[in-house]
Amino acid sequence: MKMYLRRFAIRTLIPIVWRISKDRAPATLQRFASTEADSAWQFLNALQADVDDELRNELFNNALEEVHHASEFERMSVECATSLVYKPKPERTALWNPRKPFAHFLAYVYVGESDVYQQFSAYSSAVKEAMTGQKNRRTFFDVAKEDEDGHLTLAKRALFQEFGSRRQAEREILKIRLRRAYQTWLRTSKQLGEVSTTMILGLIYFLAGPVFFLACRRRLK
Amino acid sequence: MDVLGISAYYHDAGAAIVSDGKVVAAAAEERFTRQKHDANFPKFAIDFCLQTLGLDARELDRIVFYEEPHLKFVRVLTSALAPFPFSSGAFVRSMKSWLSEKLWIQNDISKRLDVHPNKIEFIPHHLSHAAQAFLGSGFSDAAILTVDAVGEWSCTSLYHGSLNEGLKFELLEEISYPHSLGLLYAAFTGFLGFRPNDGECSVMALAAFGKPTYAEKVRQIIRSEPDGSYRIDQSYFKRDQFGANPFSTKFFDTFGPPRGFKESLPFSCFSDHLSLERTSTNQQRFADIAASLQLVLEETLLNLISKLSRMTGSHNLCLAGGVALNCVANSRIVNESPFEEIFIPPDPGDGGAAVGAATYSYYSTRSDLSNFKLSPFLGKEYDVSESVKLVRSLDIDGWNSHRMRESLPHPEGMRLQTEVYESFPELIPRVVDDISRGKIVGWFQGRFENGPRALGNRSILINPGNIEVAKRLSKTVKQRASFRPYAFSIAEGSAGQVLAPRKKVAHTTKWMQSVEPINESAAPLVKAAIHIDGTTRVQICGFDDNPKYHELLSAYGQAAGLPALLNTSFNESGYPMIASPAEALIVFARTNMDTLVLNNVVIRKST
C-alpha cells in the first residue's frame, strides 16, 4: 500500500514540481548521486569482511555499479542545472559491523536496495512525464533500477545462505524494517519540531534584530 | 601521554594523535568516507588514530578541538544579524545548525567518544594552524603567518613563535572578519564558475593564461594599508547573502557578468596545442581576472610578510591556513621575502589543524622537541593480501558497463595479469618498463599521505616527457580540465638538471608546495608537467623522504636518463585521493589506467 501511495505521489508531483522549479530536478538527481555513492561506500567497506571469493567479487561489482550510478546521476544533475548544485555530504554510518554477523549487513542491503528499487521505478515513470523528449534520463533510471534489482537478488540469496533458513532471514529483515521505520519517525518528528524552531527563531530575529543590528554592523566594519 | 586533535564542522574535518611527543597518525575524514572536503565529525579518522595506538578513547589524556565554538558562534550571530531585516532566512538556518549541534561540541565529543567532558579542550583556530606550522618546522624561533577563510573572528594572524624560554606564541596582530583573503578568493572562485572551497586550484591554474589587466580593480577591493596590512572593501559584496551570490551590483559593474559553470575554457597547458586565438574575449576576461586576483593576493601576502619580518626580526617563516595551499604565491614568498627559511606543513588547511591542536596541547608545557618530526606519511596502511584474493577472483567481463564515460571500452577478452613480488627491488624494473612504454601506472604504497598532495604513496605516474600519455591521463582517468597542469617528482640530486638556477632550495619543494621555473634546455624531458608559464609544481624527493619512491625514481632515471615522473593524485575527479586497495581497484576498473601496483603486487590489464 505504502509503495503504491509513494509511487502515485512521485508520478503525480514530480512532473509538476520539476517544471515549476528549475532547481528541483538537479537537486533530486544530486541526492540520488549521493545515495548511490553511499551505497558504493557501504559495499567497499564491507569488503573488509571475511567472506568467500564469490561473495567478495559480487560485493566489489556492486560497489562498481553504485559508483557508476553515482557518476551518471551527477552528470545528469550537471546537465540540467543552471547553476552549481549543492552537494549533500551526509555523515556516513557503516552498515557493516565487524562485531555482528555478515548477514546483518546483507539484511540492511536487502531493505535499502528494495527501497531504492521502488524509488527508481516510480521516478522512471515520473521522469518520462517531467522531461518529455529527454529519453536518456528515463533509460538511466531503468538501467539503475535493473542493477538495484540485481543487488536485491544477491542480497536475498546470500542472506538465506548465511542464515540457513528463510524464516530467520525474514525475521532479520523485519527487524531492520522496523528499525528504519522508527528512524523515519524520529526524522519526521525532528522535521516537525524544526517547523516550530523556525517560527521561534524567526520571532527572535525580528525582536532582537532591531535592537542589535547596528552594533553588529559596527563590529563588522 | 596521548593527545587527540580534532577538526570538524567547517570543511575538511580531520583527526591526529600525538603520543609521547610524536605525531603517530593523522588523516582527513574524506579519505575514509570518499566525500571530498567532508566536514562531518571525523569518527573514522578518530577510529584510525586510536587503532594505530591500540587505544580506547577513554584512555586518552586529552582531546583538543581546533577552535573555540562559543567565540565562533558570536561571530556567526553577529554576521547573521547585521544585514537586518534582510537576513531572516540566513539567521534561522545558521542558528538552527548552531543551536542543535555545533555549539555543544564538548558534549558531542564526550558522548561520541564516551569520555569525560573535562578532558576536552579548545584552542583558537589560528593558534592550531600556527602550532602545526611552527612545531613541525624544527625552528627555535620563527615568524608565523596564518591566512585562511575565517576562524572564530580572525582571518589573518601574525605570530612570533619561540622555544627559547619554553614554547611561546605571541600574537602580534590579527585581521578580523569580514576582512578575509580566503573568503575573497573563494568568492572569486564562485564568480569564475568553480565551486568555492574546492575549485581554488582551478583559479590559480587559470591565472597563468591571463594578464593582470584587472589588478588595479582588485586592488580597490583588497586595499593595502601603509603598515603592510590590508582591508577588504565590503561595498563590493552584499551583506545579506551568505554564499549563494555574495556580489553587489558594484562588483558586477567592475568585473562584468560571472562565468556560467558550464561555459568552456579552451586553455590548455600542453603547449603543443595551445591556441590562444581560439579564446573569446569573454573567456580571456575570466583568465585576466584570475591573473589579477592572483597577483594582488601575492602582493598582499608579501606586504604582510615584510611587516612580520620587521616585527619579529626572525630569519624563519612558517605559513599555514588554507591560503598557504596557493603554491604560486608560496613561490613568490620563497623568492622575494626577506626570510631565509620557510616552512609550510604538509596539510596547512583545516584538516591539518587537528595536528596543530594536538601538538600545541602536548607541547604547551614542554619545550623539548627532540622527539618531534612532522611527516606527511601519517595515514593508514593497508594489508593488500585480501585484495590479491579479490583480484584473482574478479570477473572483469562486466566492467565495461560501469566505466567512466570518457574512458575507452576495455577490449574484448581482456584479462587481469597479477604478479606478486617477493621483494621490492624485483618489482621496480617491471614498473619502470611499463612507464617507459607509455603506460599509466597507479602507485599504492604504505601509509597514505596526510594532506592534499600525492607524494609517492597514492600517486598516478607517467613519463613526464610524453604529452600524448598525459592527454590520455587527463581524458580517460582524471577527467581533468586541460588548463590544469600536472606536477612532477624528481630524485634529489638531479633537480638541478631540470630546474632553473635559484637563490635557495626551499623546503616547500619537498612537498609540492611551490612552483619552480624549468630550464629551457630540459623542458622537453618534462614537457607534460609544465604549465603554460614555464613553471611546474615540483617534489624533490630524497631517499629519507620516501625510500621506495626514491628507489623508483632513481631506477627510472637509469632507464630514461632523468629520474623524474609526472605525479598526480590517485583519484577520479570529484573524489578525494584513494585510501584503500579496494578504492584503487575501483579507479583501475573504471578508467584506462594500465597498471596498478599495490605494495608488492602488480596488476595489469592484458588481452
Side-chain angles (χ1 to χ4, degrees):
Chain A
M1 183 63 182
K2 182 188 143 202
M3 187 180 93
Y4 288 112
L5 275 176
R6 180 199 262 182
R7 203 171 181 154
F8 176 75
I10 290 174
R11 264 192 93 155
T12 321
L13 294 176
I14 288 298
I16 302 165
V17 174
W18 282 15
R19 278 199 187 115
I20 293 172
S21 166
K22 280 183 185 168
D23 298 335
R24 284 291 181 156
T28 307
L29 291 166
Q30 191 63 60
R31 192 166 50 80
F32 279 134
S34 167
T35 306
E36 295 296 273
D38 184 70
S39 297
W41 181 83
Q42 298 291 356
F43 283 122
L44 283 172
N45 192 43
L47 276 171
Q48 297 172 65
D50 187 18
V51 291
D52 63 52
D53 285 354
E54 193 189 350
L55 186 54
R56 186 181 288 118
N57 192 10
E58 280 174 345
L59 290 173
F60 179 79
N61 282 334
N62 285 1
L64 195 55
E65 279 179 9
E66 301 290 25
V67 172
H68 177 64
H69 295 169
S71 67
E72 282 298 297
F73 280 124
E74 170 110 33
R75 186 184 57 75
M76 285 155 55
S77 167
V78 170
E79 252 176 34
C80 62
T82 50
S83 58
L84 281 169
V85 183
Y86 166 73
K87 276 187 174 186
K89 288 174 189 162
E91 186 172 333
R92 298 251 194 255
T93 305
L95 300 180
W96 173 68
N97 183 339
R99 286 183 292 275
K100 288 191 174 171
F102 196 70
H104 181 76
F105 169 74
L106 291 168
Y108 257 114
V109 170
Y110 179 81
V111 174
E113 296 288 354
S114 62
D115 192 41
V116 171
Y117 175 81
Q118 284 165 23
Q119 280 197 49
F120 285 174
S121 303
Y123 271 90
S124 176
S125 317
V127 166
K128 189 188 170 194
E129 306 286 329
M131 297 186 157
T132 323
Q134 297 189 37
K135 241 181 173 179
N136 285 345
R137 292 199 177 89
R138 183 170 187 239
T139 313
F140 186 71
F141 269 106
D142 288 335
V143 170
K145 191 180 83 178
E146 278 163 29
D147 288 342
E148 301 304 342
D149 194 28
H151 301 172
L152 258 180
T153 314
L154 156 78
K156 199 170 181 178
R157 196 188 64 227
L159 190 61
F160 291 169
Q161 267 173 10
E162 289 273 326
F163 274 111
S165 109
R166 194 186 176 91
R167 205 168 158 186
Q168 249 188 318
E170 280 170 352
R171 199 177 299 153
E172 184 70 18
I173 289 171
L174 181 67
K175 262 200 252 174
I176 284 168
R177 279 197 202 284
L178 287 172
R179 196 170 302 154
R180 280 171 64 107
Y182 177 64
Q183 280 162 355
T184 309
W185 161 247
L186 287 182
R187 263 201 310 275
T188 314
S189 311
K190 197 180 164 200
Q191 278 162 2
L192 284 172
E194 278 189 2
V195 175
S196 51
T197 310
T198 303
M199 287 164 67
I200 294 167
L201 284 171
L203 190 68
I204 292 173
Y205 177 77
F206 285 104
L207 288 174
V211 182
F212 295 110
F213 82 99
L214 283 175
C216 293
R217 282 183 188 185
R218 269 198 301 276
R219 180 68 180 86
L220 293 181
K221 277 267 162 77
Chain B
M1 183 179 185
D2 303 310
V3 184
L4 178 75
I6 298 174
S7 60
Y9 296 137
Y10 186 40
H11 52 77
D12 298 292
I17 194 159
V18 173
S19 179
D20 296 330
K22 284 185 188 159
V23 184
V24 287
E29 183 70 353
E30 64 167 23
R31 304 298 286 275
F32 298 99
T33 61
R34 280 173 62 80
Q35 298 195 103
K36 215 172 173 189
H37 305 300
D38 196 336
N40 290 300
F41 186 81
K43 58 184 176 191
F44 295 101
I46 291 173
D47 279 352
F48 152 66
C49 287
L50 294 173
Q51 276 165 18
T52 306
L53 282 179
L55 284 181
D56 184 275
R58 281 168 292 194
E59 296 173 77
L60 288 165
D61 296 289
R62 252 180 257 162
I63 297 165
V64 195
F65 192 67
Y66 81 133
E67 63 187 11
E68 296 189 5
H70 293 93
L71 285 179
K72 189 168 176 176
F73 175 70
V74 175
R75 193 253 302 159
V76 173
L77 186 63
T78 307
S79 45
L81 280 177
F84 180 86
F86 304 108
S87 57
S88 58
F91 175 85
V92 170
R93 268 196 307 279
S94 61
M95 287 307 111
K96 260 204 279 193
S97 107
W98 270 89
L99 294 173
S100 64
E101 195 178 29
K102 295 176 185 172
L103 198 55
W104 322 113
I105 184 84
Q106 190 168 19
N107 292 343
D108 189 29
I109 295 173
S110 160
K111 205 170 130 193
R112 282 173 185 264
L113 302 182
D114 192 18
V115 293
H116 196 278
N118 286 351
K119 277 190 178 180
I120 302 162
E121 291 175 2
F122 300 91
I123 72 166
H125 183 93
H126 275 232
L127 185 55
S128 301
H129 282 310
Q132 165 203 17
F134 178 61
L135 293 170
S137 69
F139 302 143
S140 57
D141 175 278
I144 308 164
L145 177 68
T146 63
V147 189
D148 67 0
V150 57
E152 293 83 7
W153 278 96
S154 184
C155 300
T156 297
S157 303
L158 284 69
Y159 286 93
H160 185 194
S162 166
L163 285 172
N164 298 333
E165 293 162 19
L167 177 63
K168 199 173 146 196
F169 288 94
E170 186 188 353
L171 177 62
L172 303 171
E173 189 176 320
E174 65 178 2
I175 300 173
S176 290
Y177 181 84
H179 303 284
S180 164
L181 292 173
L183 286 176
L184 182 82
Y185 207 90
F188 268 101
T189 301
F191 175 81
L192 292 169
F194 307 108
R195 197 176 285 280
N197 295 328
D198 183 35
E200 281 72 10
C201 50
S202 297
V203 176
M204 195 172 62
L206 184 62
F209 294 92
K211 292 192 178 73
T213 50
Y214 288 81
E216 210 39 61
K217 292 175 177 173
V218 179
R219 284 189 197 108
Q220 294 302 309
I221 302 181
I222 309 175
R223 290 174 184 269
S224 283
E225 302 278 307
D227 67 346
S229 67
Y230 69 90
R231 308 277 293 169
I232 304 286
D233 185 341
Q234 297 301 318
S235 64
Y236 288 85
F237 303 95
K238 281 194 262 180
R239 248 201 287 246
D240 57 326
Q241 295 274 345
F242 294 90
N245 174 18
F247 308 107
S248 68
T249 320
K250 188 175 173 185
F251 188 95
F252 293 124
D253 290 343
T254 311
F255 294 101
R259 175 180 164 259
F261 78 111
K262 284 195 261 188
E263 265 180 71
S264 70
L265 288 168
F267 303 101
S268 171
C269 52
F270 299 128
S271 49
D272 68 326
H273 66 273
L274 175 79
S275 167
L276 288 177
E277 296 80 46
R278 282 185 312 176
T279 58
S280 68
T281 322
N282 210 27
Q283 288 160 341
Q284 191 57 50
R285 174 172 66 92
F286 298 126
D288 292 345
I289 292 173
S292 309
L293 172 69
Q294 180 65 32
L295 176 73
V296 180
L297 173 79
E298 290 163 15
E299 290 170 356
T300 311
L301 290 175
L302 284 167
N303 287 343
L304 284 166
I305 282 165
S306 299
K307 177 179 182 164
L308 193 51
S309 170
R310 288 193 301 273
M311 290 171 103
T312 61
S314 178
H315 301 295
N316 307 313
L317 172 69
C318 296
L319 283 175
V323 176
L325 286 166
N326 191 310
C327 51
V328 180
N330 293 345
S331 298
R332 282 200 63 187
I333 293 168
V334 167
N335 293 319
E336 297 175 36
S337 79
F339 291 99
E340 285 165 19
E341 295 285 340
I342 291 168
F343 178 84
I344 304 170
D347 186 1
D350 279 4
V355 177
T359 48
Y360 178 78
S361 176
Y362 184 89
Y363 283 105
S364 55
T365 50
R366 298 170 171 82
S367 60
D368 175 22
L369 279 143
S370 53
N371 234 353
F372 191 84
K373 195 183 172 212
L374 195 55
S375 155
F377 304 105
L378 293 169
K380 188 173 177 179
E381 183 161 21
Y382 291 82
D383 176 8
V384 299
S385 57
E386 288 299 311
S387 307
V388 177
K389 275 196 235 166
L390 172 65
V391 173
R392 293 205 161 127
S393 67
L394 279 181
D395 168 20
I396 60 171
D397 291 339
W399 280 11
N400 273 340
S401 341
H402 310 301
R403 307 230 333 126
M404 203 181 82
R405 188 163 275 262
E406 286 72 16
S407 287
L408 306 167
H410 289 317
E412 211 169 305
M414 189 192 76
R415 289 287 169 266
L416 292 184
Q417 198 189 334
T418 310
E419 293 161 6
V420 181
Y421 291 88
E422 289 296 313
S423 71
F424 190 74
E426 281 177 57
L427 168 149
I428 292 276
R430 302 302 305 268
V431 180
V432 167
D433 186 47
D434 277 4
I435 298 173
S436 304
R437 286 189 296 119
K439 303 284 186 196
I440 298 173
V441 175
W443 179 255
F444 178 109
Q445 297 292 332
R447 300 180 75 168
F448 65 71
E449 298 89 342
N450 178 39
R453 308 285 176 232
L455 299 171
N457 278 11
R458 298 292 186 278
S459 294
I460 299 176
L461 308 171
I462 65 163
N463 171 1
N466 193 332
I467 282 189
E468 289 313 309
V469 183
K471 284 186 203 163
R472 186 162 69 91
L473 173 68
S474 283
K475 194 170 178 209
T476 67
V477 181
K478 295 282 289 185
Q479 292 172 291
R480 196 178 171 112
S482 58
F483 62 84
R484 285 190 54 198
Y486 285 109
F488 78 85
S489 313
I490 189 160
E492 201 171 38
S494 300
Q497 290 177 44
V498 179
L499 304 180
R502 293 152 299 159
K503 272 198 298 186
K504 53 191 172 191
V505 179
H507 188 279
T508 50
T509 54
K510 285 257 178 237
W511 299 333
M512 284 192 185
Q513 293 167 321
S514 57
V515 296
E516 298 288 330
I518 297 289
N519 244 333
E520 252 179 57
S521 58
L525 298 170
V526 288
K527 60 187 173 195
I530 306 180
H531 203 8
I532 193 69
D533 58 3
T535 63
T536 190
R537 194 156 44 85
V538 69
Q539 176 197 8
I540 300 176
C541 180
F543 179 81
D544 292 339
D545 300 322
N546 187 342
K548 286 185 173 176
Y549 190 47
H550 184 266
E551 200 175 331
L552 176 70
L553 287 166
S554 304
Y556 185 77
Q558 281 171 7
L562 184 74
L565 290 169
L566 185 149
N567 174 5
T568 184
S569 52
F570 198 148
N571 62 340
E572 268 187 67
S573 170
Y575 286 96
M577 245 195 289
I578 60 146
S580 69
E583 287 172 71
L585 280 167
I586 289 280
V587 178
F588 185 59
R590 276 174 50 75
T591 68
N592 277 7
M593 184 180 282
D594 302 300
T595 303
L596 174 61
V597 184
L598 295 174
N599 291 352
N600 60 336
V601 181
V602 179
I603 305 154
R604 285 194 189 81
K605 292 170 185 162
S606 66
T607 44

